[in-house]
PDB file of all heavy atoms in Angstrom:
ATOM      1  N   ALA A 153     -21.168  89.658 135.573  1.00  0.00           N
ATOM      2  CA  ALA A 153     -22.583  89.501 136.112  1.00  0.00           C
ATOM      3  C   ALA A 153     -22.682  88.242 136.941  1.00  0.00           C
ATOM      4  O   ALA A 153     -23.515  88.211 137.838  1.00  0.00           O
ATOM      5  CB  ALA A 153     -23.457  89.472 134.933  1.00  0.00           C
ATOM      6  N   SER A 154     -21.852  87.271 136.722  1.00  0.00           N
ATOM      7  CA  SER A 154     -22.006  86.010 137.500  1.00  0.00           C
ATOM      8  C   SER A 154     -21.156  86.081 138.847  1.00  0.00           C
ATOM      9  O   SER A 154     -21.096  85.180 139.562  1.00  0.00           O
ATOM     10  CB  SER A 154     -21.479  84.807 136.695  1.00  0.00           C
ATOM     11  OG  SER A 154     -20.120  84.988 136.402  1.00  0.00           O
ATOM     12  N   GLY A 155     -20.588  87.317 139.100  1.00  0.00           N
ATOM     13  CA  GLY A 155     -19.778  87.454 140.256  1.00  0.00           C
ATOM     14  C   GLY A 155     -18.361  87.060 140.192  1.00  0.00           C
ATOM     15  O   GLY A 155     -17.602  87.130 141.201  1.00  0.00           O
ATOM     16  N   GLU A 156     -17.933  86.697 138.994  1.00  0.00           N
ATOM     17  CA  GLU A 156     -16.497  86.348 138.822  1.00  0.00           C
ATOM     18  C   GLU A 156     -15.655  87.616 138.699  1.00  0.00           C
ATOM     19  O   GLU A 156     -16.192  88.683 138.191  1.00  0.00           O
ATOM     20  CB  GLU A 156     -16.348  85.515 137.554  1.00  0.00           C
ATOM     21  CG  GLU A 156     -17.051  84.176 137.696  1.00  0.00           C
ATOM     22  CD  GLU A 156     -16.967  83.312 136.343  1.00  0.00           C
ATOM     23  OE1 GLU A 156     -16.663  83.971 135.335  1.00  0.00           O
ATOM     24  OE2 GLU A 156     -17.227  82.168 136.458  1.00  0.00           O
ATOM     25  N   GLU A 157     -14.436  87.600 139.040  1.00  0.00           N
ATOM     26  CA  GLU A 157     -13.527  88.676 138.861  1.00  0.00           C
ATOM     27  C   GLU A 157     -13.267  88.861 137.402  1.00  0.00           C
ATOM     28  O   GLU A 157     -12.966  87.953 136.726  1.00  0.00           O
ATOM     29  CB  GLU A 157     -12.244  88.555 139.645  1.00  0.00           C
ATOM     30  CG  GLU A 157     -12.443  88.514 141.158  1.00  0.00           C
ATOM     31  CD  GLU A 157     -11.146  88.292 141.846  1.00  0.00           C
ATOM     32  OE1 GLU A 157     -10.075  88.832 141.426  1.00  0.00           O
ATOM     33  OE2 GLU A 157     -11.126  87.559 142.841  1.00  0.00           O
ATOM     34  N   ASP A 158     -13.334  90.114 136.899  1.00  0.00           N
ATOM     35  CA  ASP A 158     -13.010  90.424 135.532  1.00  0.00           C
ATOM     36  C   ASP A 158     -11.803  91.366 135.475  1.00  0.00           C
ATOM     37  O   ASP A 158     -12.014  92.558 135.710  1.00  0.00           O
ATOM     38  CB  ASP A 158     -14.201  90.982 134.784  1.00  0.00           C
ATOM     39  CG  ASP A 158     -13.969  91.365 133.341  1.00  0.00           C
ATOM     40  OD1 ASP A 158     -12.822  90.981 132.828  1.00  0.00           O
ATOM     41  OD2 ASP A 158     -14.838  91.951 132.696  1.00  0.00           O
ATOM     42  N   PRO A 159     -10.613  90.867 135.335  1.00  0.00           N
ATOM     43  CA  PRO A 159      -9.450  91.712 135.453  1.00  0.00           C
ATOM     44  C   PRO A 159      -9.375  92.805 134.399  1.00  0.00           C
ATOM     45  O   PRO A 159      -8.719  93.749 134.546  1.00  0.00           O
ATOM     46  CB  PRO A 159      -8.216  90.782 135.387  1.00  0.00           C
ATOM     47  CG  PRO A 159      -8.782  89.554 134.789  1.00  0.00           C
ATOM     48  CD  PRO A 159     -10.190  89.509 135.080  1.00  0.00           C
ATOM     49  N   ALA A 160     -10.140  92.667 133.336  1.00  0.00           N
ATOM     50  CA  ALA A 160     -10.136  93.720 132.219  1.00  0.00           C
ATOM     51  C   ALA A 160     -10.971  94.891 132.667  1.00  0.00           C
ATOM     52  O   ALA A 160     -10.874  95.978 132.054  1.00  0.00           O
ATOM     53  CB  ALA A 160     -10.629  93.108 130.961  1.00  0.00           C
ATOM     54  N   GLY A 161     -11.746  94.758 133.652  1.00  0.00           N
ATOM     55  CA  GLY A 161     -12.549  95.889 134.201  1.00  0.00           C
ATOM     56  C   GLY A 161     -13.827  96.126 133.423  1.00  0.00           C
ATOM     57  O   GLY A 161     -14.882  96.188 133.961  1.00  0.00           O
ATOM     58  N   GLY A 162     -13.697  96.180 132.107  1.00  0.00           N
ATOM     59  CA  GLY A 162     -14.876  96.305 131.204  1.00  0.00           C
ATOM     60  C   GLY A 162     -15.340  97.756 131.249  1.00  0.00           C
ATOM     61  O   GLY A 162     -15.411  98.435 132.234  1.00  0.00           O
ATOM     62  N   GLY A 163     -15.745  98.320 130.076  1.00  0.00           N
ATOM     63  CA  GLY A 163     -16.262  99.644 129.973  1.00  0.00           C
ATOM     64  C   GLY A 163     -15.352 100.761 130.111  1.00  0.00           C
ATOM     65  O   GLY A 163     -15.701 101.897 130.266  1.00  0.00           O
ATOM     66  N   ALA A 164     -14.086 100.543 130.014  1.00  0.00           N
ATOM     67  CA  ALA A 164     -13.066 101.619 130.217  1.00  0.00           C
ATOM     68  C   ALA A 164     -13.014 102.471 129.023  1.00  0.00           C
ATOM     69  O   ALA A 164     -13.197 101.912 127.830  1.00  0.00           O
ATOM     70  CB  ALA A 164     -11.670 100.955 130.520  1.00  0.00           C
ATOM     71  N   GLY A 165     -12.716 103.700 129.130  1.00  0.00           N
ATOM     72  CA  GLY A 165     -12.516 104.589 127.946  1.00  0.00           C
ATOM     73  C   GLY A 165     -11.244 104.288 127.217  1.00  0.00           C
ATOM     74  O   GLY A 165     -10.375 103.547 127.720  1.00  0.00           O
ATOM     75  N   GLU A 166     -11.030 104.958 126.167  1.00  0.00           N
ATOM     76  CA  GLU A 166      -9.802 104.728 125.342  1.00  0.00           C
ATOM     77  C   GLU A 166      -8.582 105.001 126.073  1.00  0.00           C
ATOM     78  O   GLU A 166      -7.583 104.199 126.050  1.00  0.00           O
ATOM     79  CB  GLU A 166      -9.867 105.566 124.042  1.00  0.00           C
ATOM     80  CG  GLU A 166     -10.866 105.085 123.074  1.00  0.00           C
ATOM     81  CD  GLU A 166     -10.421 103.771 122.449  1.00  0.00           C
ATOM     82  OE1 GLU A 166      -9.192 103.532 122.124  1.00  0.00           O
ATOM     83  OE2 GLU A 166     -11.303 102.884 122.193  1.00  0.00           O
ATOM     84  N   GLN A 167      -8.507 106.079 126.848  1.00  0.00           N
ATOM     85  CA  GLN A 167      -7.249 106.434 127.476  1.00  0.00           C
ATOM     86  C   GLN A 167      -6.847 105.523 128.651  1.00  0.00           C
ATOM     87  O   GLN A 167      -5.692 105.165 128.777  1.00  0.00           O
ATOM     88  CB  GLN A 167      -7.256 107.918 128.033  1.00  0.00           C
ATOM     89  CG  GLN A 167      -7.362 108.941 126.897  1.00  0.00           C
ATOM     90  CD  GLN A 167      -7.351 110.336 127.352  1.00  0.00           C
ATOM     91  OE1 GLN A 167      -7.269 110.626 128.577  1.00  0.00           O
ATOM     92  NE2 GLN A 167      -7.297 111.305 126.497  1.00  0.00           N
ATOM     93  N   GLY A 168      -7.847 105.130 129.460  1.00  0.00           N
ATOM     94  CA  GLY A 168      -7.547 104.289 130.548  1.00  0.00           C
ATOM     95  C   GLY A 168      -7.530 102.791 130.207  1.00  0.00           C
ATOM     96  O   GLY A 168      -7.046 102.005 130.935  1.00  0.00           O
ATOM     97  N   GLY A 169      -7.994 102.451 129.047  1.00  0.00           N
ATOM     98  CA  GLY A 169      -8.115 101.060 128.628  1.00  0.00           C
ATOM     99  C   GLY A 169      -6.802 100.372 128.523  1.00  0.00           C
ATOM    100  O   GLY A 169      -6.672  99.240 128.969  1.00  0.00           O
ATOM    101  N   ASP A 170      -5.800 100.987 127.982  1.00  0.00           N
ATOM    102  CA  ASP A 170      -4.501 100.368 127.765  1.00  0.00           C
ATOM    103  C   ASP A 170      -3.834 100.095 129.125  1.00  0.00           C
ATOM    104  O   ASP A 170      -3.278  99.052 129.393  1.00  0.00           O
ATOM    105  CB  ASP A 170      -3.577 101.182 126.897  1.00  0.00           C
ATOM    106  CG  ASP A 170      -2.347 100.414 126.453  1.00  0.00           C
ATOM    107  OD1 ASP A 170      -2.454  99.261 126.074  1.00  0.00           O
ATOM    108  OD2 ASP A 170      -1.248 101.016 126.576  1.00  0.00           O
ATOM    109  N   ALA A 171      -3.916 101.079 129.983  1.00  0.00           N
ATOM    110  CA  ALA A 171      -3.312 100.929 131.358  1.00  0.00           C
ATOM    111  C   ALA A 171      -4.029  99.826 132.208  1.00  0.00           C
ATOM    112  O   ALA A 171      -3.436  99.001 132.858  1.00  0.00           O
ATOM    113  CB  ALA A 171      -3.363 102.251 132.123  1.00  0.00           C
ATOM    114  N   GLU A 172      -5.331  99.798 132.051  1.00  0.00           N
ATOM    115  CA  GLU A 172      -6.167  98.816 132.751  1.00  0.00           C
ATOM    116  C   GLU A 172      -5.819  97.367 132.187  1.00  0.00           C
ATOM    117  O   GLU A 172      -5.769  96.398 132.888  1.00  0.00           O
ATOM    118  CB  GLU A 172      -7.642  99.065 132.620  1.00  0.00           C
ATOM    119  CG  GLU A 172      -8.014 100.223 133.518  1.00  0.00           C
ATOM    120  CD  GLU A 172      -9.533 100.424 133.571  1.00  0.00           C
ATOM    121  OE1 GLU A 172     -10.253  99.448 133.286  1.00  0.00           O
ATOM    122  OE2 GLU A 172      -9.974 101.585 133.869  1.00  0.00           O
ATOM    123  N   ARG A 173      -5.653  97.318 130.892  1.00  0.00           N
ATOM    124  CA  ARG A 173      -5.315  96.029 130.223  1.00  0.00           C
ATOM    125  C   ARG A 173      -3.958  95.574 130.704  1.00  0.00           C
ATOM    126  O   ARG A 173      -3.798  94.406 131.116  1.00  0.00           O
ATOM    127  CB  ARG A 173      -5.318  96.142 128.646  1.00  0.00           C
ATOM    128  CG  ARG A 173      -5.016  94.838 128.016  1.00  0.00           C
ATOM    129  CD  ARG A 173      -4.749  94.992 126.514  1.00  0.00           C
ATOM    130  NE  ARG A 173      -3.788  96.001 126.210  1.00  0.00           N
ATOM    131  CZ  ARG A 173      -2.446  95.845 126.263  1.00  0.00           C
ATOM    132  NH1 ARG A 173      -1.925  94.718 126.669  1.00  0.00           N
ATOM    133  NH2 ARG A 173      -1.572  96.749 125.987  1.00  0.00           N
ATOM    134  N   ARG A 174      -2.943  96.441 130.795  1.00  0.00           N
ATOM    135  CA  ARG A 174      -1.665  96.023 131.291  1.00  0.00           C
ATOM    136  C   ARG A 174      -1.740  95.609 132.742  1.00  0.00           C
ATOM    137  O   ARG A 174      -1.106  94.660 133.205  1.00  0.00           O
ATOM    138  CB  ARG A 174      -0.740  97.221 131.136  1.00  0.00           C
ATOM    139  CG  ARG A 174      -0.238  97.311 129.664  1.00  0.00           C
ATOM    140  CD  ARG A 174       1.001  98.257 129.557  1.00  0.00           C
ATOM    141  NE  ARG A 174       0.888  99.530 130.280  1.00  0.00           N
ATOM    142  CZ  ARG A 174       0.397 100.673 129.841  1.00  0.00           C
ATOM    143  NH1 ARG A 174      -0.074 100.717 128.618  1.00  0.00           N
ATOM    144  NH2 ARG A 174       0.351 101.708 130.659  1.00  0.00           N
ATOM    145  N   ALA A 175      -2.502  96.325 133.611  1.00  0.00           N
ATOM    146  CA  ALA A 175      -2.588  95.985 134.998  1.00  0.00           C
ATOM    147  C   ALA A 175      -3.339  94.620 135.107  1.00  0.00           C
ATOM    148  O   ALA A 175      -2.959  93.858 135.973  1.00  0.00           O
ATOM    149  CB  ALA A 175      -3.403  97.050 135.723  1.00  0.00           C
ATOM    150  N   ALA A 176      -4.360  94.366 134.328  1.00  0.00           N
ATOM    151  CA  ALA A 176      -5.030  93.107 134.350  1.00  0.00           C
ATOM    152  C   ALA A 176      -4.084  91.917 133.937  1.00  0.00           C
ATOM    153  O   ALA A 176      -4.100  90.892 134.607  1.00  0.00           O
ATOM    154  CB  ALA A 176      -6.255  93.125 133.442  1.00  0.00           C
ATOM    155  N   GLU A 177      -3.260  92.157 132.919  1.00  0.00           N
ATOM    156  CA  GLU A 177      -2.344  91.124 132.501  1.00  0.00           C
ATOM    157  C   GLU A 177      -1.310  90.837 133.640  1.00  0.00           C
ATOM    158  O   GLU A 177      -0.950  89.720 133.908  1.00  0.00           O
ATOM    159  CB  GLU A 177      -1.653  91.532 131.240  1.00  0.00           C
ATOM    160  CG  GLU A 177      -2.537  91.556 130.008  1.00  0.00           C
ATOM    161  CD  GLU A 177      -1.873  92.140 128.791  1.00  0.00           C
ATOM    162  OE1 GLU A 177      -0.735  92.673 128.905  1.00  0.00           O
ATOM    163  OE2 GLU A 177      -2.512  92.041 127.757  1.00  0.00           O
ATOM    164  N   ARG A 178      -0.893  91.901 134.262  1.00  0.00           N
ATOM    165  CA  ARG A 178       0.075  91.779 135.396  1.00  0.00           C
ATOM    166  C   ARG A 178      -0.487  91.055 136.588  1.00  0.00           C
ATOM    167  O   ARG A 178       0.125  90.139 137.155  1.00  0.00           O
ATOM    168  CB  ARG A 178       0.543  93.142 135.823  1.00  0.00           C
ATOM    169  CG  ARG A 178       1.559  93.139 136.881  1.00  0.00           C
ATOM    170  CD  ARG A 178       2.895  92.479 136.443  1.00  0.00           C
ATOM    171  NE  ARG A 178       3.782  92.345 137.505  1.00  0.00           N
ATOM    172  CZ  ARG A 178       4.932  93.028 137.655  1.00  0.00           C
ATOM    173  NH1 ARG A 178       5.255  93.860 136.757  1.00  0.00           N
ATOM    174  NH2 ARG A 178       5.654  92.850 138.643  1.00  0.00           N
ATOM    175  N   PHE A 179      -1.790  91.301 136.844  1.00  0.00           N
ATOM    176  CA  PHE A 179      -2.494  90.657 137.951  1.00  0.00           C
ATOM    177  C   PHE A 179      -2.511  89.113 137.674  1.00  0.00           C
ATOM    178  O   PHE A 179      -2.204  88.316 138.586  1.00  0.00           O
ATOM    179  CB  PHE A 179      -3.879  91.231 138.005  1.00  0.00           C
ATOM    180  CG  PHE A 179      -4.770  90.556 138.969  1.00  0.00           C
ATOM    181  CD1 PHE A 179      -4.646  90.658 140.362  1.00  0.00           C
ATOM    182  CD2 PHE A 179      -5.840  89.722 138.573  1.00  0.00           C
ATOM    183  CE1 PHE A 179      -5.457  90.031 141.307  1.00  0.00           C
ATOM    184  CE2 PHE A 179      -6.708  89.052 139.463  1.00  0.00           C
ATOM    185  CZ  PHE A 179      -6.481  89.257 140.809  1.00  0.00           C
ATOM    186  N   VAL A 180      -2.895  88.725 136.485  1.00  0.00           N
ATOM    187  CA  VAL A 180      -3.066  87.363 136.125  1.00  0.00           C
ATOM    188  C   VAL A 180      -1.664  86.705 136.094  1.00  0.00           C
ATOM    189  O   VAL A 180      -1.415  85.568 136.684  1.00  0.00           O
ATOM    190  CB  VAL A 180      -3.685  87.140 134.807  1.00  0.00           C
ATOM    191  CG1 VAL A 180      -3.712  85.685 134.351  1.00  0.00           C
ATOM    192  CG2 VAL A 180      -5.149  87.545 134.889  1.00  0.00           C
ATOM    193  N   THR A 181      -0.689  87.395 135.516  1.00  0.00           N
ATOM    194  CA  THR A 181       0.716  86.816 135.444  1.00  0.00           C
ATOM    195  C   THR A 181       1.264  86.590 136.862  1.00  0.00           C
ATOM    196  O   THR A 181       1.880  85.602 137.115  1.00  0.00           O
ATOM    197  CB  THR A 181       1.643  87.801 134.712  1.00  0.00           C
ATOM    198  OG1 THR A 181       1.094  87.950 133.393  1.00  0.00           O
ATOM    199  CG2 THR A 181       3.044  87.268 134.621  1.00  0.00           C
ATOM    200  N   ASP A 182       1.019  87.553 137.811  1.00  0.00           N
ATOM    201  CA  ASP A 182       1.518  87.481 139.164  1.00  0.00           C
ATOM    202  C   ASP A 182       0.849  86.313 139.872  1.00  0.00           C
ATOM    203  O   ASP A 182       1.480  85.503 140.572  1.00  0.00           O
ATOM    204  CB  ASP A 182       1.292  88.722 139.900  1.00  0.00           C
ATOM    205  CG  ASP A 182       2.283  89.834 139.442  1.00  0.00           C
ATOM    206  OD1 ASP A 182       3.181  89.539 138.729  1.00  0.00           O
ATOM    207  OD2 ASP A 182       2.011  90.986 139.899  1.00  0.00           O
ATOM    208  N   LEU A 183      -0.423  86.188 139.734  1.00  0.00           N
ATOM    209  CA  LEU A 183      -1.184  84.965 140.334  1.00  0.00           C
ATOM    210  C   LEU A 183      -0.545  83.677 139.875  1.00  0.00           C
ATOM    211  O   LEU A 183      -0.309  82.779 140.679  1.00  0.00           O
ATOM    212  CB  LEU A 183      -2.624  84.979 139.984  1.00  0.00           C
ATOM    213  CG  LEU A 183      -3.547  86.020 140.744  1.00  0.00           C
ATOM    214  CD1 LEU A 183      -4.931  85.941 140.151  1.00  0.00           C
ATOM    215  CD2 LEU A 183      -3.575  85.699 142.234  1.00  0.00           C
ATOM    216  N   LEU A 184      -0.359  83.538 138.531  1.00  0.00           N
ATOM    217  CA  LEU A 184       0.172  82.316 138.018  1.00  0.00           C
ATOM    218  C   LEU A 184       1.621  82.089 138.470  1.00  0.00           C
ATOM    219  O   LEU A 184       2.031  80.999 138.823  1.00  0.00           O
ATOM    220  CB  LEU A 184       0.185  82.317 136.483  1.00  0.00           C
ATOM    221  CG  LEU A 184      -1.268  82.331 135.863  1.00  0.00           C
ATOM    222  CD1 LEU A 184      -1.208  82.708 134.384  1.00  0.00           C
ATOM    223  CD2 LEU A 184      -1.833  80.937 135.986  1.00  0.00           C
ATOM    224  N   ALA A 185       2.420  83.133 138.572  1.00  0.00           N
ATOM    225  CA  ALA A 185       3.870  83.018 138.955  1.00  0.00           C
ATOM    226  C   ALA A 185       3.953  82.555 140.407  1.00  0.00           C
ATOM    227  O   ALA A 185       4.868  81.806 140.773  1.00  0.00           O
ATOM    228  CB  ALA A 185       4.582  84.372 138.768  1.00  0.00           C
ATOM    229  N   ARG A 186       3.028  83.032 141.307  1.00  0.00           N
ATOM    230  CA  ARG A 186       3.071  82.683 142.622  1.00  0.00           C
ATOM    231  C   ARG A 186       2.445  81.292 142.918  1.00  0.00           C
ATOM    232  O   ARG A 186       2.408  80.845 144.044  1.00  0.00           O
ATOM    233  CB  ARG A 186       2.332  83.736 143.522  1.00  0.00           C
ATOM    234  CG  ARG A 186       3.044  85.089 143.635  1.00  0.00           C
ATOM    235  CD  ARG A 186       2.444  85.974 144.616  1.00  0.00           C
ATOM    236  NE  ARG A 186       0.986  86.172 144.434  1.00  0.00           N
ATOM    237  CZ  ARG A 186       0.492  87.193 143.764  1.00  0.00           C
ATOM    238  NH1 ARG A 186       1.223  88.115 143.190  1.00  0.00           N
ATOM    239  NH2 ARG A 186      -0.828  87.328 143.608  1.00  0.00           N
ATOM    240  N   GLY A 187       1.876  80.650 141.888  1.00  0.00           N
ATOM    241  CA  GLY A 187       1.186  79.379 142.079  1.00  0.00           C
ATOM    242  C   GLY A 187      -0.163  79.498 142.713  1.00  0.00           C
ATOM    243  O   GLY A 187      -0.678  78.467 143.209  1.00  0.00           O
TER     244      GLY A 187
END
């Protein structure tokens, strides 16, 4: 709501939730790895 990026997406159903969580973790990991 504050305009910040939320890599977890929020509100995902059960089936898509796990894939979205993994994608969000990868997004953050990649940002950190690249500095």
Side-chain angles (χ1 to χ4, degrees):
S154 62
E156 297 176 342
E157 293 179 38
D158 181 6
E166 285 292 319
Q167 293 186 357
D170 192 47
E172 287 187 24
R173 181 189 52 78
R174 286 193 312 269
E177 289 172 355
R178 180 65 187 249
F179 174 72
V180 173
T181 300
D182 288 350
L183 283 174
L184 291 166
R186 291 191 305 266

